[in-house]
């Protein structure tokens, strides 16, 4: 005897089973509950870390203030907002930003994304001369990948940065302005040596005055032994940079119009914190060198013109990318920068 199907196609005498649907709905609710608990715990931990950081700064005589603080981003992000953000050290050094947004993905909290709003002000009181930097920009974005104890990789891109820099004290009174179309900094732990850091810097259309041609700067280098210090506020950078050949410059390129300058070499800091080492220079269009270097020095500095004169007078004939050029050894030693045996400027301590 066969069963007669109903109008809906279900055999007569059987009721539709709903347990699979109920199980699926239950699992969905369980996952949502567990994820919400994870997010709430993570948010609480982030709040505790921020609160402890503020207390540590206060204990050490400094200050960390996150104005209009908020921490949200549920369900897939942890997003911290501060407007403004102010950091001050017991030494009198300080940094302020118009606003900061830091985002960590809830499912990958080691990937951090940060956006900063202008303006910014940096004040450094230590050393023989005070430093004050006021900065603006269109956009500033950074991403970082965190390792177990350090930063494994970081990328920073700033569009339309402009810096007003003032040095005061110790006879220095040199305000000047530097602007660029874009500025990029990329760093990572070196794949060749885990203790080292590979660093790349790109500056496009750097200028100081509308009448001075802009300059493009590219630099690829390795900082020896710097990886353990990334992401740490108590790292001894001077000790790292004081080791011989601490900064290995693979390629430094500066170009402006018909001028092209390339260099490679090694630099470090001497016992007084001054730059030491050597950078052999090869230059095409040496007669335009002083004008191209002007954005990187205060307006009254004589270093660009002196360096150009030294290259024109003592440079050896060379070739760069098929174009005639001159080459000279540029050395920093004992607080003096020299082209060959000719001093072109004195160097003060950098740290």
């Amino acid at each position: 005897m066969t069963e007669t199907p109903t109008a809906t196609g279900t055999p007569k005498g059987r009721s539709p089973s709903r347990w699979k649907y109920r199980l699926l709905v239950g699992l969905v609710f369980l996952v949502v509950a567990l994820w919400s608990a994870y997010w709430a715990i993570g948010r609480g931990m982030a709040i505790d870390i921020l609160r402890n950081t503020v207390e540590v700064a206060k204990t050490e005589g400094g200050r960390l203030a996150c104005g209009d603080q908020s921490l949200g981003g549920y369900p897939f992000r942890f997003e911290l907002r501060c407007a403004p953000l102010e950091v001050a050290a017991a030494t009198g050094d300080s940094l302020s930003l118009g606003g900061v947004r830091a985002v960590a993905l809830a499912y990958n909290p080691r990937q951090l994304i940060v956006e900063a709003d202008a303006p910014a002000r940096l004040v450094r009181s230590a050393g023989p001369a005070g430093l004050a930097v006021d900065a603006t920009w269109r956009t500033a974005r950074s991403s970082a990948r965190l390792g177990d104890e350090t930063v494994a990789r970081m990328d920073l891109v700033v569009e339309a940065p402009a810096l007003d820099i003032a040095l005061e004290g110790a006879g220095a009174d040199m305000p000047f302005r530097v602007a660029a179309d874009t500025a990029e900094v990329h760093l990572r732990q070196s794949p060749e040596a885990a203790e080292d850091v590979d660093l790349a810097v790109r500056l496009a259309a750097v200028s100081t005055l509308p009448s001075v041609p802009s300059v493009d700067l590219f630099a690829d280098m390795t900082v020896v032994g710097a990886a353990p210090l990334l992401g740490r506020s108590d790292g001894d950078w001077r000790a790292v940079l004081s080791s011989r050949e601490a900064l290995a410059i693979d390629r430094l390129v500066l170009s402006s119009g018909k001028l092209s300058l390339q260099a490679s070499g090694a630099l470090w800091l001497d016992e007084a914190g001054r730059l030491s080492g050597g950078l052999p220079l090869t230059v095409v269009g040496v007669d335009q060198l002083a004008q191209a270097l002007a954005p990187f020095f205060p307006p009254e500095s004589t270093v660009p013109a002196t360096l150009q004169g030294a290259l024109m007078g003592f440079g050896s004939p060379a070739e760069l990318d098929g174009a005639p050029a001159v080459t000279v050894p540029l050395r920093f030693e004992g607080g003096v920068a020299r082209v060959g045996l000719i001093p072109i400027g004195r160097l003060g301590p950098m740290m």
Side-chain angles (χ1 to χ4, degrees):
M1 182 175 180
T2 58
E3 294 179 336
T4 305
T6 63
T8 59
T10 303
K12 187 177 180 180
R14 293 184 185 176
S15 59
S17 176
R18 299 180 180 273
W19 69 270
K20 292 183 179 179
Y21 301 102
R22 291 171 180 168
L23 178 60
L24 179 60
V25 171
L27 288 174
V28 169
F29 276 107
L30 178 61
V31 170
V32 170
L34 291 174
W35 184 263
S36 298
Y38 161 75
W39 189 91
I41 292 172
R43 181 180 185 275
M45 292 175 62
I47 292 175
D48 289 341
I49 291 172
L50 182 60
R51 184 185 298 118
N52 292 338
T53 304
V54 171
E55 290 300 320
V56 169
K58 184 177 179 181
T59 301
E60 295 179 348
R63 179 172 178 265
L64 172 62
C66 176
D68 195 20
Q69 176 183 320
S70 66
L71 183 55
Y74 180 83
F76 299 120
R77 305 189 311 274
F78 299 110
E79 183 172 342
L80 173 66
R81 292 174 177 262
C82 299
L85 175 67
E86 299 177 350
V87 182
T91 59
D93 298 347
S94 64
L95 171 67
S96 63
L97 294 166
V100 171
R101 293 173 299 283
V103 177
L105 302 176
Y107 50 87
N108 184 16
R110 292 193 176 192
Q111 184 72 37
L112 186 65
I113 301 170
V114 179
E115 292 185 347
D117 296 331
R121 180 171 176 81
L122 171 67
V123 176
R124 182 170 173 79
S125 303
L131 170 68
V133 180
D134 291 287
T136 60
W137 56 85
R138 185 184 304 122
T139 61
R141 298 185 179 93
S142 177
S143 65
R145 188 169 70 245
L146 307 181
D148 293 334
E149 297 180 356
T150 186
V151 177
R153 185 183 183 95
M154 188 188 77
D155 302 282
L156 171 66
V157 179
V158 183
E159 296 183 0
L163 307 178
D164 290 298
I165 304 171
L167 295 171
E168 298 177 352
D173 184 13
M174 303 181 295
F176 63 102
R177 182 178 180 85
V178 180
D181 284 354
T182 59
E184 299 182 30
V185 178
H186 307 276
L187 63 84
R188 64 174 184 176
Q189 284 185 275
S190 175
E192 285 78 23
E195 296 293 306
D196 300 345
V197 172
D198 292 336
L199 176 65
V201 179
R202 307 284 186 267
L203 303 176
V206 181
S207 62
T208 52
L209 296 170
S211 58
V212 177
S214 61
V215 177
D216 295 329
L217 174 69
F218 307 92
D220 295 314
M221 63 194 79
T222 297
V223 187
V224 179
L229 275 63
L230 295 180
R232 293 179 53 182
S233 60
D234 59 346
D236 191 351
W237 280 98
R238 179 163 180 170
V240 169
L241 296 175
S242 294
S243 63
R244 191 172 181 85
E245 300 186 354
L247 188 63
I249 300 176
D250 299 320
R251 189 165 181 255
L252 172 66
V253 179
L254 184 148
S255 59
S256 176
K258 296 181 179 180
L259 170 78
S260 179
L261 178 152
Q262 291 192 18
S264 61
L267 301 173
W268 62 94
L269 299 180
D270 64 13
E271 64 279 359
R274 301 168 303 194
L275 198 62
S276 290
L279 282 178
L281 302 181
T282 303
V283 184
V284 174
V286 66
D287 58 316
Q288 301 180 40
L289 181 61
Q291 193 176 51
L293 291 178
F296 303 98
F297 293 87
E300 62 272 23
S301 175
T302 61
V303 172
T306 305
L307 181 58
Q308 175 177 305
L311 264 73
M312 295 180 70
F314 302 97
S316 302
E319 188 175 283
L320 181 63
D321 297 331
V326 295
T327 182
V328 294
L330 173 63
R331 294 201 58 80
F332 307 97
E333 186 176 4
V336 179
R338 302 176 184 272
V339 171
L341 299 176
I342 308 301
I344 62 172
R346 300 199 61 83
L347 306 170
M350 300 184 67
M351 299 184 72

